[in-house]
Amino acid sequence: MRNTRLFSLIRKEFIQILRDPRTLYITFAIPVIQLFLLGYTATTDVRNIPLAVFDLSRSPASRRLLDAYRAADYFNLAFDLDSEDEMRTLIDAGDARAGMIIPPDYAEKLLANETASVYFVLDGSDPNVASTSLAAAELIGQTHSTTLVIERLERRGLTGAFEPAVEVRSRVWYNPDMESAIFMVPAMIGIILQLLTSLLTATAIVRERERGTIEQLIVTPIRPWELIVGKITPYVALALFDMLEVLLVGTLWFGVPIRGSLGLLVALSGLFLLGSLGIGLMVSTFAKTQQEATMLTYFTMLPTIFLSGFFFPLAAMPPALQAVSHVIPLRYYLIIIRSILLKGAGAELLTNEIFALAIFGILVMGIAALRFRKRLD
Amino acid sequence: MPVMIQAQNLRRSFSGKPAVDGLSLSIEAGEIYALVGPDGAGKTTTLRLLCGALQPDDGQIHLAGIDLLRQTEHARAQIGYLPQRFSLYGELTVLENLRFFAEVRGLPSSDWVPRSEEILEFVGLAEFADRRAEALSGGMRQKLGLAAALVHQPNILLLDEPTGGVDPVTRQSFWQLLIRLLRQGVAVLISTPYMDEASRCNRVGFLQHGRMLVEGTPAEIVAHLQGRVLELVGRPRRLLEQLAAADPQVENAHSFGDRLHLRLAPASADAVMQRLTEAAREHAATIDHIRPVRPGLEDVFLDLLEGSHVA
Ligand SMILES: Nc1ncnc2c1ncn2[C@@H]1O[C@H](COP(=O)(O)OP(=O)(O)O)[C@@H](O)[C@H]1O
Ligand SMILES: [Mg+2]
């Protein structure tokens, strides 16, 4: 038998959504605007990192090393310095993000077949930039060093088709050009899903209380669970629509690949939404006004954004914060969506994340549903 | 007639402050009962308790014999409730609102269409069926609220200040509607700040600080002050009011429009009239007329409020 009460609740909610410009704007415009803003501004592309060079050797050998760095476009050899102090000033000012010091005896040591050291200075204030530039610097250095070793061996008369035993080739998997959009769009989907559903659910419920419509609703025989489901369903639909909207823009505009199963992604997004909806429902049991609900929701978004690995790599965080990140559902969802979109991963590789999301969703939703009362007090 | 609303010893406080304090009510089918009291007396809280929107701290509620606290939804199915604040959806049209409340009330779709038409006709909103609720005037909103409360043909109506902010013509037609419902045997509990409305009810209860000060038919209530109210009209009013207040047997003087109502100590009407006529002459004031009148509910109400104030 069809549940007329539930059906009417959902239809009523949809009518309200379609006639409320604010909700429509939040739902359909904000995600795309945010996507473009973040896709272009919050660039974590690690390319053309301004590099300050203090070359004390000033030899053909040191120039060869610098050419190797120049060839890979990770670095932009923007500054050629005459002192270490200058380097400090440039890095402090943020004009240079990394510095390289080539000692005076660089060429001599190489000639003497000794190990020559080069010093690399990093601005660690942006862990993303720091970690990639360090990796890039090491890779370029190693490659160059291998070339030099081969030359040494050749000079000793070991001619012939000599190939290096180990060739280190830097290659960043899944995101070959380190283009931020490819990494950011999936994350944006996660953020948008969570923010929209929790915000819209919370305000939609609180609005009934704020406008007094809850009073008429209370005296109807609607069951509390019907009220919850009726309130939530429209926003699940909107959220999934948003997801596809952002994904479409991400694919067509930013070239984000969809390597895995879209069906799996939608299903797991639904699982992730359970938690977000639970947060929204929970917020609605505390907030008295829509404004309070909005503030509370944004408040829950802060740890989500900072501790999910969205902006800052989890590995670069203090252990305490890393521990906290384990209860942030977005953390797991980011792994899931990036794995499905970028790596084409299937569910079997994501069991831990799926499990974590399920536990979080059921727990939050359960507690919120228990707190939810079909009463004024 | 069966008792439709039965409440015993209801209590409800908000953060330790009692809003309803040991209230009992009994209302029969076909009866209309007015809850009267100043702002904050606990009228709204009482109605919210009676429809289960608030949980009582103590007490019993039976609606049409069904225990509201035990069989909440079953008991609620008996009532239509019009909250003090407009509580329908502004974004929905009149008809959409009715349809929604009809459906969640369990009316099958074959029934809600004729029922909605009937009820819109009944409250006089038929021509506004497609207008959004937010675009309705105050009076029309109240009618829509009443329509939504009536859509499932309840046996009990709880109306919280239904004519607040409504023009006199609409008030009048609202009352016509209520009278027709009463004839159908509906039990109506109405809260109102208007004494003329209260005096049209079968019974009236005066509420203050969540307690029932007095309860009875308007005639019974008015009998408390029979022969103890004088009406005085004259000029200058301020001076006459001062003179009256100075009289030892005038307990109180209140203005009602251009008239003064004086409440007197028992059996003092003749003496007071004589003294005031003389005092007016001495002070060169004009008395157009001074005479005993039938006390109104207002007089009793003010008397009770002051009495409880002293107590
Ligand atoms: N939800 C609430 N929270 C706190 N206090 C309340 C609440 N509802 C009513 N009150 C208090 O209870 C008392 C009675 O209020 P109410 O029932 O609204 O009176 P009335 O309807 O007669 O004006 C008032 O003092 C009011 O401040
Ligand atoms: Mg009130």
Side-chain angles (χ1 to χ4, degrees):
Chain A
M1 199 189 79
R2 204 183 65 166
N3 186 330
T4 314
R5 284 193 299 259
L6 189 53
F7 188 76
S8 325
L9 260 175
I10 294 173
R11 195 191 44 224
K12 179 219 85 180
E13 202 67 30
F14 266 121
I15 298 179
Q16 285 185 295
I17 291 169
L18 292 176
R19 292 183 189 165
D20 178 22
R22 177 179 165 266
T23 311
L24 284 180
Y25 172 71
I26 292 181
T27 312
F28 297 109
I30 294 252
V32 176
I33 294 173
Q34 282 189 334
L35 180 62
F36 275 95
L37 279 180
L38 275 163
Y40 281 112
T41 54
T43 297
T44 55
D45 276 3
V46 185
R47 261 197 200 172
N48 292 327
I49 300 167
L51 179 70
V53 178
F54 181 27
D55 181 1
L56 291 152
S57 166
R58 302 239 174 243
S59 58
S62 69
R63 273 191 292 277
R64 259 190 90 192
L65 177 68
L66 291 178
D67 282 341
Y69 273 86
R70 209 171 270 125
D73 57 355
Y74 283 114
F75 295 102
N76 169 23
L77 274 55
F79 305 96
D80 188 4
L81 311 179
D82 295 318
S83 76
E84 221 176 307
D85 286 346
E86 264 182 279
M87 180 177 289
R88 181 171 300 278
T89 316
L90 282 169
I91 290 183
D92 281 351
D95 295 334
R97 303 304 291 269
M100 190 160 66
I101 304 174
I102 305 176
D105 56 357
Y106 178 78
E108 286 82 48
K109 284 212 167 156
L110 280 186
L111 270 178
N113 287 343
E114 287 173 40
T115 306
S117 309
V118 171
Y119 302 96
F120 205 78
V121 183
L122 275 178
D123 171 5
S125 61
D126 183 339
N128 253 326
V129 174
S131 59
T132 356
S133 43
L134 181 61
E138 283 178 350
L139 277 174
I140 297 167
Q142 270 178 36
T143 315
H144 188 62
S145 142
T146 313
T147 315
L148 292 180
V149 169
I150 295 167
E151 285 175 7
R152 263 182 214 172
L153 293 173
E154 281 172 347
R155 267 201 306 278
R156 284 186 196 161
L158 296 168
T159 47
F162 195 86
E163 292 296 324
V166 180
E167 186 188 29
V168 182
R169 280 215 187 128
S170 68
R171 181 190 273 169
V172 182
W173 281 10
Y174 310 125
N175 191 357
D177 296 319
M178 295 293 283
E179 277 185 32
S180 67
I182 289 185
F183 210 58
M184 292 297 270
V185 169
M188 281 302 302
I189 292 178
I191 299 256
I192 289 168
L193 281 185
Q194 176 168 346
L195 179 61
L196 270 185
T197 45
S198 51
L199 185 65
L200 290 176
T201 312
T203 51
I205 296 176
V206 171
R207 187 175 51 210
E208 298 259 5
R209 216 171 291 149
E210 199 178 47
R211 295 203 192 155
T213 52
I214 190 80
E215 261 195 275
Q216 190 60 262
L217 217 48
I218 283 172
V219 296
T220 70
I222 295 173
R223 309 253 179 283
W225 74 263
E226 290 169 339
L227 204 49
I228 294 175
V229 175
K231 275 280 164 190
I232 278 175
T233 309
Y235 299 105
V236 175
L238 287 192
L240 290 178
F241 178 90
D242 275 334
M243 182 183 104
L244 296 177
E245 181 190 16
V246 173
L247 197 54
L248 192 72
V249 175
T251 306
L252 296 181
W253 189 269
F254 293 104
V256 176
I258 304 177
R259 300 209 171 91
S261 146
L262 203 54
L264 179 67
L265 181 61
V266 171
L268 294 185
S269 301
L271 186 64
F272 171 62
L273 286 182
L274 191 65
S276 311
L277 294 163
I279 292 174
L281 191 61
M282 189 82 95
V283 165
S284 80
T285 66
F286 286 100
K288 292 218 161 49
T289 62
Q290 291 187 71
Q291 202 180 358
E292 263 178 48
T294 307
M295 301 240 307
L296 269 174
T297 310
Y298 279 118
F299 190 71
T300 66
M301 284 309 289
L302 284 180
T304 296
I305 288 176
F306 290 113
L307 296 179
S308 62
F310 175 61
F311 277 129
F312 308 115
L314 291 172
M317 284 178 198
L321 287 183
Q322 284 191 33
V324 176
S325 79
H326 286 285
V327 298
I328 305 287
L330 186 63
R331 174 200 163 121
Y332 302 103
Y333 185 68
L334 287 191
I335 297 176
I336 288 177
I337 189 169
R338 282 173 178 161
S339 303
I340 294 179
L341 290 181
L342 307 183
K343 298 187 206 173
E348 67 284 351
L349 292 173
L350 300 168
T351 44
N352 285 345
E353 285 74 23
I354 295 174
F355 199 59
L357 283 188
I359 291 180
F360 181 85
I362 292 170
L363 214 64
V364 174
M365 196 51 125
I367 296 173
L370 284 179
R371 280 186 51 86
F372 189 84
R373 288 272 177 282
K374 201 187 124 191
R375 281 210 306 267
L376 288 175
D377 50 351
Chain B
M1 279 288 174
V3 174
M4 298 303 287
I5 303 174
Q6 175 97 57
Q8 280 150 357
N9 200 28
L10 283 186
R11 283 177 207 284
R12 169 70 206 223
S13 45
F14 294 104
S15 31
K17 212 175 141 272
V20 170
D21 194 4
L23 190 76
S24 296
L25 275 175
S26 175
I27 301 165
E28 293 176 357
E31 188 181 21
I32 180 163
Y33 186 109
L35 266 188
V36 186
D39 273 350
K43 305 181 293 293
T44 297
T45 307
T46 303
L47 293 182
R48 284 175 172 170
L49 288 170
L50 289 176
C51 66
L54 286 175
Q55 192 87 339
D57 298 334
D58 193 16
Q60 300 267 321
I61 299 167
H62 288 85
L63 300 174
I66 306 161
D67 189 334
L68 176 71
L69 303 178
R70 295 238 173 80
Q71 293 175 271
T72 309
E73 298 303 348
H74 188 36
R76 269 185 188 145
Q78 311 297 316
I79 57 176
Y81 172 45
L82 178 60
Q84 184 168 2
R85 248 180 94 188
F86 181 65
S87 61
L88 304 183
Y89 299 99
E91 303 94 334
L92 269 59
T93 66
V94 167
L95 198 61
E96 282 166 346
N97 267 297
L98 275 191
R99 176 180 185 181
F100 173 70
F101 284 103
E103 282 180 347
V104 297
R105 289 290 201 167
L107 264 76
S109 49
S110 54
D111 286 3
W112 79 258
V113 181
R115 179 66 187 145
S116 299
E117 276 168 16
E118 179 190 332
I119 203 129
L120 285 180
E121 205 61 56
F122 181 73
V123 299
L125 280 181
E127 55 189 303
F128 303 107
D130 293 323
R131 191 183 284 195
R132 287 204 194 169
E134 63 201 355
L136 295 176
S137 70
M140 289 201 281
R141 284 185 182 194
Q142 289 304 81
K143 286 179 174 174
L144 176 57
L146 184 66
L150 287 174
V151 74
H152 59 301
Q153 296 182 295
N155 301 313
I156 295 169
L157 255 190
L158 306 174
L159 308 174
D160 198 354
E161 302 196 16
T163 57
V166 170
D167 67 89
V169 177
T170 311
R171 266 175 79 185
Q172 201 54 38
S173 65
F174 210 89
W175 270 89
Q176 302 298 328
L177 294 178
L178 287 187
I179 289 164
R180 281 161 67 189
L181 288 168
L182 290 168
R183 287 206 200 106
Q184 295 165 17
V186 176
V188 181
L189 174 57
I190 181 174
S191 85
T192 177
Y194 301 113
M195 295 303 159
D196 60 326
E197 281 188 357
S199 60
R200 298 170 98 159
C201 294
N202 301 115
R203 277 192 301 148
V204 179
F206 279 141
L207 209 57
Q208 199 198 15
H209 304 312
R211 261 172 267 154
M212 194 70 87
L213 292 184
V214 67
E215 185 184 47
T217 64
E220 283 167 358
I221 289 175
V222 159
H224 285 270
L225 287 183
Q226 201 58 56
R228 287 177 53 196
V229 178
L230 284 185
E231 183 181 88
L232 167 62
V233 179
R235 271 157 298 126
R237 249 237 329 267
R238 288 289 298 273
L239 177 61
L240 288 170
E241 194 169 344
Q242 280 165 15
L243 293 175
D247 190 286
Q249 282 184 302
V250 172
E251 290 176 354
N252 215 314
H254 286 286
S255 303
F256 289 106
D258 61 345
R259 297 159 300 147
L260 280 175
H261 273 201
L262 312 180
R263 197 184 67 233
L264 314 177
S268 61
D270 290 338
V272 171
M273 280 196 288
Q274 201 174 349
R275 276 201 299 273
L276 279 183
T277 313
E278 274 167 29
R281 198 178 309 123
E282 271 173 38
H283 290 83
T286 322
I287 290 184
D288 294 338
H289 74 247
I290 180 166
R291 64 180 179 220
V293 290
R294 248 192 73 196
L297 283 173
E298 297 100 320
D299 300 300
V300 182
F301 192 23
L302 292 168
D303 178 40
L304 286 167
L305 288 185
E306 279 153 18
S308 72
H309 207 69
V310 173

